[in-house]
Amino acid sequence: MSEAQSLFEMLRQSVKPEIVDAFARLVRDAPDRKLCRINALAFAAAEGLDEEDTIAGFLQASRLGIFELSWNVLCPGCGGVLDANTSLKTVQATEYTCALCAAGYEPTLDEMVEVTFTVSPRVRHIGAHNPHELPAIEYFRQMYWGSGIDLPEDDYEEKFDEFVIETLELPPGDKAVISLQLPAEFVIVFEPVTHAAQFLDVKGEPTRERRNLVLVFDRAHRHAETLNLQPGPLRIQVENHAEVRTLPSVCVAGEALHEMLGRRRPFLTAKRLLSNQTFRDIYRTDTLDVDQRLKITSLTFLFTDLRGSTELYERVGDLAAFDLVRTHFRVLNEIVAAEAGAIVKTIGDAVMATFPTPDRAVAAAMRMRDAMRELNEERGSEDLLLKIGIHEGPCIAVNLNERQDYFGQTVNIASRVQHLATSREIFATGSVLEDPRASNLLSDRGLSPMPHSVTLRGIANEISIFAIP
């Protein structure tokens, strides 16, 4: 049995068979470009698979060495990959600059960091394993643009040629000359390896005078200042002072380029992966450095606690109470994972969980309440009375006590909202119910949350709390 076959057989022990079969077909039959920086959500949609099961499958396959996981910092404007990392620990810069868009961005884990999967060379070798040997057109497709750009399949080359006037490969230390006729367009001389760009605003009366331009690529110069030129002949001398091959390309920033970059599709964000239970189980302590602080603009927190757990131990005895509480934890863990969430930690009889969107947290909360009711009915008692609080907002992903955790006022508010709840109540803040998917979920079930304003310790202003019946 080959190593790849052996790895897929091992994968079947933890991943659904239809997903393993889809992975095996992908690795066996897909062209090289399909195996580089795979968009897990697009793959699930194309194969008709459940997204959460597919994400878990990719994570388990990466653990075995079938795929390699990559954390890519993206430009929100053009969708280009500004930095590719094998670990989130190396996303350290406070700002990333996109030369193509001439803009700088503070990285957030919501939409600026994607997670992709590339087949391991031990399973199948592809061109992207040696990216500096890829032709320019494939380097752009496989290495520069992120997986959220929905590049055309059948006519990619033709679409690419519509906005790229000229491109060449320039080995380290080499010089070359690009001679061309400048059109009356906004032109960008862009180098995707060193991320350098020179803008040329070409307008006015055409000229026959040949102009000269010298560009040096060495990862230090960004050539951001725009030059105003007339249409006509231009001689560009390019020099590669970088340690790798560069790909200077002359592009027209017109309708063709904007149309290609405007085609977007969902992708797996770092925020969503950090709130994935399978990811947290596999990468328990190997996510963030101790001193690392990464912003998330919106994350939903759910806190639970058992009411009267001390009395429960007194009433039924330590052993029975321990078994009952452990069952409660198992049920909550299953529900959180099924709703695309992850348990961050347990504190006594309490649970702190995160979800990528408010509707998932609300759905999980209602399932939790129903599950506790069923357990109580089975026992003929009211031993498991669950209090739940939900809040959404910005936070910081950190490493605390050797685990990936979260810090910020949003976390504090979510915890205090839970403390307001009495038995069997779900309290959610206004920011949760302002989410259209969360409010639609409740209205579809005929539920009308009851609002009231409260003051929380440490919070200056009153906040709106809704009791979900």
Side-chain angles (χ1 to χ4, degrees):
M1 181 181 292
S2 70
E3 182 178 15
Q5 288 176 309
S6 176
L7 291 173
F8 279 116
E9 287 304 314
M10 293 173 62
L11 187 63
R12 291 184 186 279
Q13 299 174 18
S14 57
V15 176
K16 291 183 176 181
E18 63 269 24
I19 293 175
V20 179
D21 290 342
F23 288 171
R25 288 193 303 272
L26 177 72
V27 170
R28 183 185 66 239
D29 302 332
D32 279 12
R33 67 176 187 275
K34 292 277 193 178
L35 295 168
C36 174
R37 293 185 181 167
I38 300 164
N39 181 324
L41 306 187
F43 179 81
E47 295 289 331
L49 302 170
D50 177 80
E51 280 189 358
E52 295 306 316
D53 290 341
T54 302
I55 294 169
F58 273 114
L59 291 169
Q60 296 287 3
S62 298
R63 178 181 63 85
L64 292 174
I66 296 173
F67 297 107
E68 296 175 341
L69 188 150
S70 179
W71 306 77
N72 308 318
V73 181
L74 304 177
C75 170
C78 68
V81 175
L82 306 180
D83 189 25
N85 306 269
T86 57
S87 168
L88 191 55
K89 289 182 177 181
T90 55
V91 180
Q92 295 280 1
T94 56
E95 183 177 88
Y96 288 85
T97 300
C98 177
L100 188 59
C101 295
Y105 305 95
E106 181 183 16
T108 65
L109 300 184
D110 299 71
E111 297 295 332
M112 269 195 67
V113 182
E114 69 170 2
V115 181
T116 58
F117 302 87
T118 298
V119 69
S120 169
R122 66 190 288 197
V123 174
R124 173 177 160 183
H125 185 80
I126 60 173
H129 291 146
N130 298 306
H132 297 298
E133 295 179 6
L134 288 172
I137 191 170
E138 285 302 321
Y139 189 93
F140 272 97
R141 170 153 56 183
Q142 298 184 42
M143 307 307 300
Y144 183 73
W145 281 310
S147 69
I149 301 294
D150 190 9
L151 296 172
E153 275 296 320
D154 298 329
D155 58 351
Y156 167 75
E157 292 81 1
E158 291 83 353
K159 295 290 186 183
F160 185 83
D161 289 341
E162 287 181 11
F163 61 84
V164 176
I165 301 173
E166 190 72 57
T167 185
L168 61 83
E169 297 186 17
L170 196 60
D174 270 18
K175 301 179 181 179
V177 172
I178 301 173
S179 295
L180 71 157
Q181 290 287 324
L182 280 179
E185 303 268 9
F186 194 90
V187 173
I188 304 174
V189 184
F190 181 61
E191 202 296 294
V193 179
T194 61
H195 290 251
Q198 176 64 63
F199 300 144
L200 308 176
D201 191 3
V202 186
K203 57 188 176 182
E205 289 295 320
T207 179
R208 294 184 178 180
E209 177 189 355
R210 180 174 294 278
R211 282 74 44 87
N212 294 291
L213 177 64
V214 178
L215 299 178
V216 176
F217 305 115
D218 61 1
R219 297 191 187 276
H221 298 289
R222 294 295 184 229
H223 315 301
E225 291 185 9
T226 300
L227 298 177
N228 295 305
L229 296 174
Q230 295 169 268
L234 177 67
R235 184 178 185 271
I236 308 173
Q237 181 176 317
V238 288
E239 301 180 11
N240 184 7
H241 293 185
E243 75 285 0
V244 295
R245 176 202 67 166
T246 56
L247 300 167
S249 306
V250 183
C251 311
V252 175
E255 184 178 341
L257 175 62
H258 295 142
E259 181 182 348
M260 179 177 284
L261 299 187
R263 293 162 51 101
R264 302 298 173 102
R265 61 183 180 179
F267 58 88
L268 179 59
T269 64
K271 179 185 85 168
R272 181 167 178 178
L273 197 61
L274 292 183
S275 286
N276 177 280
Q277 191 63 55
T278 301
F279 174 78
R280 293 189 68 95
D281 290 343
I282 294 176
Y283 298 91
R284 291 177 184 275
T285 60
D286 192 35
T287 306
L288 298 172
D289 275 336
V290 174
D291 296 327
Q292 204 171 5
R293 309 286 185 266
L294 291 172
K295 289 187 177 181
I296 298 175
T297 58
S298 172
L299 191 64
T300 304
F301 292 88
L302 180 150
F303 281 82
T304 73
D305 196 11
L306 284 174
R307 179 186 174 216
S309 57
T310 303
E311 292 83 352
L312 171 64
Y313 280 81
E314 180 70 26
R315 186 169 64 254
V316 303
D318 286 349
L319 186 59
F322 175 76
D323 287 341
L324 193 57
V325 170
R326 187 172 62 175
T327 298
H328 135 273
F329 277 135
R330 176 182 56 78
V331 171
L332 295 193
N333 189 80
E334 291 173 354
I335 291 172
V336 169
E339 292 295 342
I343 290 180
V344 178
K345 57 189 173 185
T346 58
I347 309 160
D349 299 326
V351 165
M352 171 185 173
T354 59
F355 297 83
T357 53
D359 59 307
R360 293 285 202 162
V362 172
M366 292 190 291
R367 291 179 61 179
M368 290 174 180
R369 183 166 60 182
D370 292 342
M372 293 306 104
R373 184 181 294 117
E374 291 175 6
L375 285 174
N376 285 333
E377 289 175 355
E378 290 175 7
R379 290 177 50 82
S381 68
E382 292 291 309
D383 291 329
L384 297 174
L385 301 175
L386 200 63
K387 304 185 296 178
I388 304 174
I390 310 171
H391 181 50
E392 174 274 338
C395 64
I396 300 173
V398 297
N399 186 319
L400 289 176
N401 301 319
E402 298 185 342
R403 70 154 67 93
Q404 192 260 306
D405 206 333
Y406 300 93
F407 179 83
Q409 193 73 301
T410 299
V411 183
N412 299 333
I413 292 174
S415 175
R416 288 167 189 167
V417 166
Q418 180 269 311
H419 284 301
L420 293 175
T422 58
S423 62
R424 291 181 177 168
E425 283 185 326
I426 301 171
F427 277 4
T429 60
S431 64
V432 173
L433 296 188
E434 286 168 6
D435 178 79
R437 290 167 296 185
S439 58
N440 289 339
L441 178 66
L442 295 175
S443 62
D444 289 346
R445 301 190 183 192
L447 300 177
S448 299
M450 300 296 295
H452 55 279
S453 297
V454 299
T455 300
L456 299 178
R457 179 173 54 86
I459 309 299
N461 300 321
E462 285 191 342
I463 68 170
S464 297
I465 300 293
F466 294 81
I468 299 176

